[in-house]
Structures are given as structure tokens and as C-alpha cells.
Amino acid sequence: MLETLLISCAAGVIGTGTGGVIGLLLGESSKRSMSYLLSFASGVMVSIVCFDLIPESLELASLSTVVVSIILGAVIVQFLNALIDRLSRTPETHVELEELHHQEEILNPQRKQSMLMSGLVMFAAISLHNLPEGMAIGSGASHDAQMGLTLAVLIALHNIPEGMSIGVPLIAGGMAKWKAVLLTALSGAPTLVGGALGAYLGSGGDALVAISLALAAGAMLYVTYCEILPQVILLNQERGPAVFTIMGIIL
């Protein structure tokens, strides 16, 4: 249990914290390499879902139970995403945030306050979003330690662009850079709670183990196809990311 909690917390804190640092230091130059990294992680994640999580859950429960749990896992993450979109709706668009990050323009006090509020709202929303990701790690680790560790690494990679979406507006809003990076990293801490819940469900009987694994599968499928891959397309519209996705599946 302790190991599960540690890797869950590390996946959230290190992933989002790294995103904050990358958003601070690298900016636009990191887009292509980030697209390759996320594409590769997506391929590995799809393989884990299709060849590990779903087959293992099918051995422990009926087909209907597994299917319903997969759908429920995807719906939970979709609901949290809808909540995030509603909370984080601000006048600043993604393009404006990019311009603010790469152009050293001077913001007036009112605009700085708006940017700061945008960053704080994103902090709260992504903190909430990290709960089901921690559950995926916890349920996977309770069944297979190696699976849990692999999921933790992949989720940490997924959290990097989320960390960037928090750090950039906080810094543009006037927050000290070290404080913005620290707050960005702390947004990953809720994975600790999710990891504990996932481990608790995974330590129950066969039915609970199957449900927890299928929930994790649904959450991971949604994250991969509705979050990571669309993000990859925005970062890099060439064919290279598709090759890295295939490489991830094969590995």
C-alpha cells in the first residue's frame, strides 16, 4: 500500500511539476519533442489496456460487468473534463496564452489579475482531474506492481502538458516563478488520494478487482483518445507522432 501511494503521488507531482518547468524554460521549442513523447506513451497505454487490464478483468468477472465498468470509467473522466472546461472558461484563449508565454509583453494590472485567476482555476480543476488517474495507478498496482509502475510513468508523462497549462498563466499573472512551479507540482498531489482508493478497491474480492481494473481501462482509453492524442495533433501535425504511437504499441 505504501509503495502504491508513493508512486501515485510521484506520478502526479513529478508530472505536473515537470510541465511547469518546461512551460517556464522551453516553451515553443519543446512542442515537437513533447508530441513524440506523448504519442509513444499513448501507444504503450493502449497496449496495457487491451492486453493487460481488460483481459485480467475478464478472467475475474462477467463480460457485462467489465463492459459497464469500462464505460463508467470513461464517463467519470469525461464528467470531470466537462467540469474542468466549465470552471476554466476565461476570456484568454489558448493562442493568447501562447503569445503571452513567448512574447515579453507588459500586462496591465487588471489583465495580470485575470491571468492569475485563470491559472488558479486550472490548478483547482486539474487537481480534481488527478483523482481518477490515481485510482488507475492504485488498482493496477494492487493487482500487479509492474503494471502500476508503468501506469504511473505514463500518467506522469500525460500530466506534463497539464502542468504547463497551470504554470504559464500563473507566471504571466505576476506570480513568482518558483511559487508557480511549486503550486503546479502540488496540483498532482490528489493522485495520492486516488491511489489509496484504487488500492483499496483492488485489494477486495475478485469482483472488486475486476471492476477496478475495468474502471482504470475506461479512464485510460478516454485519456488516450480524447486528451493525449488530440493534444499531440495540436503540437505536431506531421506523421512522426503516428510512428511513435505504433512503436509504443509494439513495445
Side-chain angles (χ1 to χ4, degrees), residues 154-196:
L154 296 175
I155 287 174
L157 294 177
H158 160 63
N159 284 341
I160 291 176
E162 292 184 349
M164 294 174 69
S165 71
I166 298 174
V168 170
L170 288 179
I171 294 171
M175 180 177 288
K177 293 180 179 179
W178 69 270
K179 288 184 179 180
V181 173
L182 178 61
L183 194 62
T184 300
L186 289 177
S187 69
T191 53
L192 178 66
V193 179

Side-chain angles (χ1 to χ4, degrees), residues 15 19 22 30-46 133 153-164 220 223-225 227-236 240-249:
I22 290 176
S30 68
K31 278 192 171 184
R32 177 168 294 184
S33 58
M34 181 65 65
S35 71
Y36 295 150
L37 192 63
L38 290 175
S39 297
F40 185 81
S42 297
V44 178
M45 196 175 295
V46 169
E133 295 179 353
V153 173
L154 296 175
I155 287 174
L157 294 177
H158 160 63
N159 284 341
I160 291 176
E162 292 184 349
M164 294 174 69
M220 290 300 97
V223 166
T224 299
Y225 286 104
E227 293 183 16
I228 299 181
L229 292 179
Q231 179 73 19
V232 167
I233 293 173
L234 291 175
L235 293 172
N236 187 349
V243 175
F244 276 83
T245 301
I246 295 171
M247 290 171 58
I249 293 174

Side-chain angles (χ1 to χ4, degrees), residues 1 4 60 135-144 194-213 215:
M1 174 66 82
T4 300
L60 301 172
M135 285 185 63
I137 298 172
S139 59
S142 65
H143 183 73
D144 185 335
L197 182 58
Y200 173 76
L201 291 175
S203 62
D206 287 351
L208 282 179
V209 173
I211 291 172
S212 63
L213 292 176
L215 285 171

Side-chain angles (χ1 to χ4, degrees), residues 16-235:
T16 53
T18 301
V21 174
I22 290 176
L24 172 64
L25 299 178
L26 300 182
E28 189 77 20
S29 63
S30 68
K31 278 192 171 184
R32 177 168 294 184
S33 58
M34 181 65 65
S35 71
Y36 295 150
L37 192 63
L38 290 175
S39 297
F40 185 81
S42 297
V44 178
M45 196 175 295
V46 169
S47 286
I48 289 177
V49 169
C50 295
F51 303 132
D52 285 328
L53 295 179
I54 293 177
E56 292 288 348
S57 60
L58 284 172
E59 290 184 1
L60 301 172
S62 65
L63 177 61
S64 59
T65 299
V66 173
V67 170
V68 170
S69 298
I70 292 173
I71 295 173
L72 182 59
V75 168
I76 290 173
V77 180
Q78 196 279 334
F79 170 78
L80 291 176
N81 276 354
L83 183 61
I84 289 171
D85 290 340
R86 184 174 182 179
L87 290 176
S88 59
R89 189 175 296 134
T90 60
E92 289 74 24
T93 64
H94 177 73
V95 174
E96 288 174 329
L97 290 177
E98 291 288 340
E99 291 175 350
L100 287 170
H101 183 57
H102 301 297
Q103 300 175 8
E104 298 295 330
E105 64 174 299
I106 300 177
L107 304 179
N108 59 52
Q110 183 177 1
R111 186 163 174 79
K112 276 192 172 183
Q113 184 179 7
S114 177
M115 291 298 298
L116 184 62
M117 287 302 300
S118 175
L120 292 175
V121 169
M122 286 301 296
F123 166 80
I126 289 176
S127 296
L128 179 64
H129 184 217
N130 281 328
L131 282 170
E133 295 179 353
M135 285 185 63
I137 298 172
S139 59
S142 65
H143 183 73
D144 185 335
Q146 186 63 40
M147 182 190 299
L149 182 60
T150 304
L151 285 172
V153 173
L154 296 175
I155 287 174
L157 294 177
H158 160 63
N159 284 341
I160 291 176
E162 292 184 349
M164 294 174 69
S165 71
I166 298 174
V168 170
L170 288 179
I171 294 171
M175 180 177 288
K177 293 180 179 179
W178 69 270
K179 288 184 179 180
V181 173
L182 178 61
L183 194 62
T184 300
L186 289 177
S187 69
T191 53
L192 178 66
V193 179
L197 182 58
Y200 173 76
L201 291 175
S203 62
D206 287 351
L208 282 179
V209 173
I211 291 172
S212 63
L213 292 176
L215 285 171
M220 290 300 97
L221 285 175
Y222 185 94
V223 166
T224 299
Y225 286 104
C226 299
E227 293 183 16
I228 299 181
L229 292 179
Q231 179 73 19
V232 167
I233 293 173
L234 291 175
L235 293 172

